Structures are given as C-alpha cells and as structure tokens.
C-alpha cells in the first residue's frame, strides 16, 4: 500500500500496476498544477460535451433575505458556475428580474410565491431544490428552513454540476439524518496535533490562535459542503488556558471565520479548570462555587460568541482529572456544566472513553471493553437534556476492527453520538490507503436488537429509536497545514465520507467513493473505476496485514500506534491484551468469562440466537464471552448457529 509523499512503504507489484494505470488515465496537468487545497471543491472546467447540458442555466442568482450565510451561498454559487462552466452569474437581491437561481428560506420564498409548496415540512438544515416560476421568470429555487440549509442546497447543486448530472427539472427534498454532525480536532495550543499526520495546526501556533485564518475559512467551507455544522478546535486532552479571559478574544476570531459557513465553534475543556485557572480550591461539580464559576464563564463566552456550540469533556481517562476525585459521577459533572450552557442553547459532549489504564493483566475478569458500559449504563436517564454521551464506535480505541460498543444499546434515556476517527491513528496514519466509510457502514448498519426490535446503530445515535431530542455523529478529523489537508489526497475521501454518512447513513460506500472521486479527479470512467476500486478494497487489505482474524491491532499501542508491535499489548495495564498463543486468543477469558455478555440487550428469551454466515474473523471480534466461539465453527470456518447464554 502507499504512500505519503516521499514516504513509500512496501509497494507490492499489484499496487504498482494500479498506480501505473491510474497515472495513465489522470491528466498530467492535474497532477502538477493542483496542491489538493480545494479537495473535492475544485470546480474544474467541464468538458465541452458535459457543459452543453447547462447551456440554458439562469444567468443570475438572487437572494431573498440578508445574512452572512446567505451571502456566502450566493458567492459560492457564482464561484462554482464560473469555474465549471466559464459563466459569471449576475448577483442580485430581492425578487428575480430575469431567469435566475433564487436563494432563500421557505418563509421568504412563500412571501414571493404563496403557492410554493414544500410538501412535507423540512427538518432543521434540510433543503429543497425545485424548478418553477417566480415573478413570471423560470427559476431554480434553493430553499430551506434555515440559511444554513440554503447553503447546503447550493453545495448540492454544484456537486451535481461537477458530476455532470442534470438540474433541469428539480423537485426534491433532502434532510440530515441527525441534528449533530460535528468534527473534533485534537490540536494543541502550541501548534502540535495529537494523532495528526498532516503538519501543524491550522488554528494554533506558539500558544495563540494563528494570525492568518484563511486556512480555517477554507476548512469551514469544506465542512459546510458536506453538511457538517460544528467543530471542536482543540485537543480533548485540553489545556485549561483555552478558557482564560485573555484567550477568549482569540476564540472569537475563529468563530467569526466559521460563522459565514454555518459552522458552530466549540472547545474541549479541562474539568479541573475552576481550580486550575479559576482560583478555587476545588473543582467538585456539586460545589455551589464551582457551578457558579461555570455559569459566569459560559455567560462571558456567549456575550462574545452568541452562536457558541458548547464543550467537549474528557474526564477520568488516561490521567485526566474527573469527578471521581470527589466521589462524583459523570452525570453530576456533565450536568453542572450543562446547567450553565442550557440558557444559551449550548451542548455538553461528555466522552464515554473512561477506563482504568492500570488494570491488572493477570486477572482474567478485567476487561477494558466493559468499562464504558459499567460506568455509564447505570446513569441512564440521569443526564440533562443538553448532554450528549460521545461514544467511540467500539469498546476499545478506533481499531481496524472492533465489535460495536454495547453502550449504544444501553442508553435509552440519554442522548448519544457515535465518535468515529477520520485521522488514521490505527489505520495507517495516512501512509497506508484505508477507506474508512466501508468500515463505518458496517458499524452503522449493525443491529443491536435494543428493546427486542430491530435497532440499527445509526438510528440509536440519531435519537430515532428512543425518541431523544439530540444525537448524531462526531468525527475526529485532525486536518493540518499540509496542502492536501490530511497528508495524502486519497485520505480526504474519509473526511468527505464522514460528512456524507453523517448526513445520510443509508448511502453505500461505493456511492460515496464514486462521488468523491468524480469531484476530486473528474468524471473519466477509467479514473472513477480505478480509484473507487482501490478505495473499496483498502480497508480489508489493511486489516489483513495489521490485525487479522479480528485480533485488533498488532501495531505498537504504547507509542506511535504504527508499525509492528505485537507484544506491546501484553502484560501491561492498558487492557488491549490478546492473551494469545499458538492455540487460541483470549484463552483465560473464554474459559472463565468476564461478564461482558450481560451487556447484550436481552431478546424475548433468555438467550440471543445468532445465525448466518460467520467466518473465523467474525468469531474473534467478540472474544471475551464465556463461550467457546471457535467450537461453533468447522475447521474451515463453515457457517454455524451460535447460541450465547446471557
């Protein structure tokens, strides 16, 4: 697999053939003239035949209403049409005076066209595309409940043009699957990025926000183009200085760069901040002085950033301070901050990545995979309505293959969001090709049978299953100053894919791969086929040589998380033990059990019956149950019926 600039690792003959074929069909001027800065928003000129489809396109774009986001939408449409078709749309305000693109909220459109019907009411951020008459002129109407939805509609139209799809007879609505579609950046204030593989931070340098935020504005544009509506800009291992009064004006500058693109700013916070920077002698979340400190701090933030999104909290994890210091629960800690945010519409994302990293590896009952469930499931229903429990997709740590975290099915009365990792910490660090939407689709489509019914993970995190007011998707992106954003152009398919799945998790991995390829490299059929096939094969290939048989990563877990390091997982407190020998994996647990099976939602009987085609790899992804899974399989991994006693 390849590749990162001048870092070439183990290029096989098969890969070399693919690369040679790819270079043969890509145009040379693309390879030399573009840095990757524009990613999938290149707006490259269409060929003459494709451009003919848009000869009757309106010659102007008018906006009904006035806001920074609507102005951005108008400018983006002009930019895209000019780049792809060589036409410069005339910009206007108010009712059209000629055939035009008309941008505006549903309320504004209906004021001009009372008979305009959106059929079903749209969810927030949803948009409608239609062609019809406005003030007697033929128009392409892009409308939504919110200005941000209008911007999303503009990007959808431009994406169609870039992929040479017709926009002649539009009449359709598009809505996000969930309200929360955010990215996290693990950027430090000194400019380093934890688990970042694409250069320095675009936000921070030398303890301050960068003087030039053009790169931040460009990032917000990319996020908005795939419907991402929030960004946490600093490391979850948060520096308390992020909340100092002197630092707040610097955060205002980032929020100002985000705002025209409809992206809300949020920050990760250190739970001990009231003591560390606030002058108190405690950070006990039940202490009235601590609660008052959070209230005043939040009020000041909203005075300067009215659309501030909220806080991300990592606590009692990997040495971070947390409520356990005072015998308090995560619910008590989260609610203390949530109470301060609630009047302003702010959110607390409390990470469920809470575990003891000093476990006794000799005790077969110890299992890190149980930690999040054991801690958070008993607290279900005790979190405030503006708290979201942010849960990594698997119970360990962003491995190339993990079972779905059982905690998703264990929170019926609590908002939750799935945390996916776009940056390739354990999946090749942008040196190896690994198309993650293939894995995410498998995860999101997984049926946890919560409550005994069919409950896909995507419905649980979206709040649909248990009718929660909030929920959704969080992706750890870690883009950097590298011109290609993630260190290699092909890795940007993962950022694009995250946004597309957060908007619509019913999309297929192939659809996403082909969309991204067309937008990034053009519509040549050979290019689309070659790159899409490479992407779609890459996850299983990467897994096959770094964590076969579902054994999770066999790389170095104690340092770089890259390169062979099989023994690094053994005989230490981190809880990622394989306990493997020449006969079996996790032998002691298989023989004695550790209680993990009780985290599976009970069906209508006293057992869960799993049937279907199961490979040895499938048997290994849930090794820590008190059942001899391998006994359910023939020597060649034949299909079997498996019964797990709870």
């Amino acid at each position: 697999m390849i590749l990162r600039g001048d870092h070439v690792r183990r290029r096989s003959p098969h890969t070399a053939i693919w690369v040679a074929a790819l270079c043969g069909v890509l145009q040379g001027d693309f390879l030399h003239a573009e840095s990757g800065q524009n990613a999938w928003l290149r707006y490259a000129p269409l060929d003459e035949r494709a451009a003919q489809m848009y000869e009757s396109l309106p010659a102007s774009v008018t906006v009904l209403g006035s806001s920074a986001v609507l102005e951005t939408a108008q400018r983006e449409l002009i930019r895209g049409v000019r780049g792809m078709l060589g036409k410069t749309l005339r910009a206007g305000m108010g009712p059209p005076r000629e055939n035009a693109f008309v941008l505006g909220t549903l309320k504004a459109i209906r004021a001009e066209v009372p008979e305009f019907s959106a059929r079903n009411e749209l969810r927030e951020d949803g948009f409608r595309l239609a062609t019809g008459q406005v003030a007697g002129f033929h128009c392409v109407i892009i409308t939504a409940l919110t200005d941000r939805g209008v911007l999303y509609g503009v990007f959808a139209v431009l994406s169609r043009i870039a992929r040479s799809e017709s926009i002649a007879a539009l009449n359709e609505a598009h809505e996000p699957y969930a309200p929360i579609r955010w990215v996290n950046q693990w950027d430090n204030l000194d400019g380093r990025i934890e688990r970042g593989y694409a250069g320095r931070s675009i936000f921070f340098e030398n303890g301050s926000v960068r003087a030039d935020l053009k790169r931040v504005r460009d990032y917000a544009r990319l996020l908005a183009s795939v419907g991402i509506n929030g960004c946490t800009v600093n490391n979850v291992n948060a520096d308390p200085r992020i909340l100092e009064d002197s630092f707040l004006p610097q955060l205002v500058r980032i929020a100002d760069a985000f705002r025209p693109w409809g992206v809300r700013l949020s920050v990760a916070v250190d739970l001990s901040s009231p003591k560390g920077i606030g002058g108190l002698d405690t950070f006990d979340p039940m202490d009235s002085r601590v609660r008052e400190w959070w209230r005043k701090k939040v009020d000041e933030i909203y005075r300067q950033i009215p659309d501030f999104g909220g806080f991300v909290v990592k606590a009692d994890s990997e040495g971070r301070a947390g409520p356990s210091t005072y015998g308090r629960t995560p619910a008590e800690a989260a609610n203390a901050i949530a109470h301060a945010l609630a009047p302003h519409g702010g959110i607390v994302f409390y990470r469920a990545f809470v575990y003891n990293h000093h476990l006794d590896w000799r005790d077969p009952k110890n299992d890190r995979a149980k930690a999040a469930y054991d801690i958070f499931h008993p607290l279900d229903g005790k979190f405030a309505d503006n708290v979201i429990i942010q849960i990594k997709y698997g119970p360990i740590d962003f491995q190339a293959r993990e079972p779905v975290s059982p905690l998703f099915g264990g929170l019926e009365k609590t908002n939750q969001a799935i945390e996916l990792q776009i940056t390739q910490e354990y999946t090749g660090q942008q040196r190896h090709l690994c198309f993650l939407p293939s894995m995410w689709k498998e995860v999101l489509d997984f049926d946890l049978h919560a409550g005994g019914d069919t409950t896909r993970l995507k419905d649980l995190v979206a709040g649909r299953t248990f009718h929660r007011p909030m929920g959704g998707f969080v992706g750890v992106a870690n883009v950097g100053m590298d011109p290609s954003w993630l260190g290699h152009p092909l890795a940007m398919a993962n950022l694009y894919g995250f946004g597309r799945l957060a908007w619509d998790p019913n999309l297929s991995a192939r659809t996403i791969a082909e969309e991204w390829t067309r937008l990034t490299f053009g519509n040549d059929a050979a290019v689309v086929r070659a790159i899409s096939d490479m992407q779609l094969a890459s996850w299983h290939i990467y897994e096959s040589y770094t964590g076969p048989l579902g054994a999770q990563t066999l790389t170095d877990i104690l340092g770089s998380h890259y390169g062979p390091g099989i023994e690094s997982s053994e005989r230490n407190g981190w809880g990622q033990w394989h306990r493997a020998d020449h006969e079996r994996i996790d032998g002691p647990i298989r023989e004695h059990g550790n209680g993990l099976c009780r985290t599976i939602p009970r069906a209508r009987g006293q057992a869960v019956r799993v049937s279907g085609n199961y490979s040895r790899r499938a048997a290994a992804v849930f090794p820590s149950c008190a059942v001899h899974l391998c006994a359910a399989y023939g020597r060649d991994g034949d299909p079997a019926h498996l019964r797990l006693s709870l």
Side-chain angles (χ1 to χ4, degrees), residues 335-586:
N335 292 346
I337 303 175
H339 181 73
L341 289 165
H344 307 282
I347 303 168
V348 175
F349 293 83
Y350 201 101
R351 298 180 84 231
F353 190 55
V354 179
Y355 70 99
N356 176 9
H357 66 286
H358 298 291
L359 291 170
D360 182 358
W361 62 271
R362 301 171 189 82
D363 185 352
K365 293 290 185 180
N366 282 336
D367 194 337
R368 173 173 161 182
K370 297 187 301 178
Y373 189 93
D374 286 348
I375 293 167
F376 286 88
H377 174 65
L379 300 174
D380 187 27
K382 296 183 180 180
F383 291 91
D385 283 343
N386 62 325
V387 174
I388 296 175
I389 305 303
Q390 186 169 311
I391 309 168
K392 292 189 178 186
Y393 84 85
I396 300 297
D397 191 13
F398 296 135
Q399 306 299 297
R401 179 172 297 276
E402 291 189 51
V404 170
S405 172
L407 182 58
F408 290 113
L411 297 179
E412 299 186 13
K413 302 173 184 177
T414 304
N415 303 320
Q416 54 184 300
I418 188 170
E419 183 178 339
L420 302 170
Q421 194 176 44
I422 299 160
T423 189
Q424 295 173 231
E425 178 182 358
Y426 284 103
T427 52
Q429 299 186 1
Q430 281 98 280
R431 290 181 171 90
H432 298 242
L433 179 62
C434 189
F435 183 62
L436 296 173
S438 297
M439 175 175 69
W440 298 337
K441 274 293 295 180
E442 196 170 287
V443 169
L444 292 170
D445 288 343
F446 188 81
D447 184 359
L448 283 119
H449 293 280
D453 298 321
T454 299
T455 47
R456 306 291 179 192
L457 179 59
K458 59 192 173 188
D459 294 322
L460 283 165
V461 301
R464 297 185 174 202
T465 300
F466 298 122
H467 310 291
R468 299 301 307 164
M470 285 191 294
F473 306 82
V474 176
V476 181
N478 293 0
V479 302
M481 291 297 291
D482 186 281
S484 65
W485 295 98
L486 284 174
H488 191 283
L490 295 184
M492 283 296 279
N494 291 328
L495 179 57
Y496 179 86
F498 169 77
R500 295 295 284 132
L501 285 174
W503 183 274
D504 182 5
N506 292 315
L507 292 171
S508 71
R510 176 165 290 279
T511 295
I512 293 168
E514 291 181 353
E515 278 185 4
W516 177 82
T517 302
R518 290 181 182 278
L519 294 172
T520 305
F521 294 105
N523 294 303
D524 184 286
V527 174
V528 174
R529 181 172 59 254
I531 296 180
S532 297
D533 287 350
M534 287 170 62
Q535 296 276 25
L536 292 167
S538 62
W539 169 45
H540 288 305
I541 292 173
Y542 181 82
E543 180 192 6
S544 72
Y545 64 84
T546 62
L549 298 176
Q552 296 192 49
T553 185
L554 299 179
T555 59
D556 175 15
I557 72 163
L558 298 179
S560 67
H561 297 181
Y562 183 86
I566 298 172
E567 283 295 304
S568 67
S569 65
E570 306 290 13
R571 295 176 294 280
N572 57 49
W574 289 96
Q576 291 184 235
W577 315 299
H578 293 107
R579 292 187 172 114
D581 57 24
H582 65 289
E583 292 184 342
R584 56 190 178 179
I585 296 175
D586 249 353

Side-chain angles (χ1 to χ4, degrees), residues 284-357:
D284 181 353
M286 301 305 290
D287 189 299
S288 60
R289 295 172 299 161
V290 170
R291 288 176 171 250
E292 179 65 9
W293 186 89
W294 283 111
R295 185 191 67 78
K296 289 181 177 179
K297 179 60 64 177
V298 167
D299 287 350
E300 180 57 31
I301 291 173
Y302 278 94
R303 271 192 288 272
Q304 300 189 49
I305 309 174
D307 57 351
F308 183 70
F311 296 137
V312 175
V313 177
K314 176 181 178 180
D316 284 324
S317 176
E318 299 178 331
R320 303 299 299 178
S324 66
T325 302
Y326 302 97
R328 308 300 187 186
T329 69
E332 290 168 325
N335 292 346
I337 303 175
H339 181 73
L341 289 165
H344 307 282
I347 303 168
V348 175
F349 293 83
Y350 201 101
R351 298 180 84 231
F353 190 55
V354 179
Y355 70 99
N356 176 9
H357 66 286

Side-chain angles (χ1 to χ4, degrees), residues 198-251:
R200 305 282 289 179
S201 169
I202 69 172
F203 298 103
F204 307 109
E205 187 62 45
N206 297 324
S208 301
V209 170
R210 284 183 175 272
D212 183 358
L213 294 183
K214 181 183 183 302
R215 187 80 167 167
V216 172
R217 291 189 290 273
D218 290 344
Y219 186 39
R221 175 173 173 252
L222 289 175
L223 297 180
S225 74
V226 287
I228 294 171
N229 57 1
C231 178
T232 304
V233 297
N234 63 309
N235 196 345
V236 291
N237 296 313
D239 188 325
R241 290 180 295 164
I242 199 81
L243 290 179
E244 288 182 345
D245 291 342
S246 61
F247 205 87
L248 184 53
Q250 299 189 57
L251 293 179

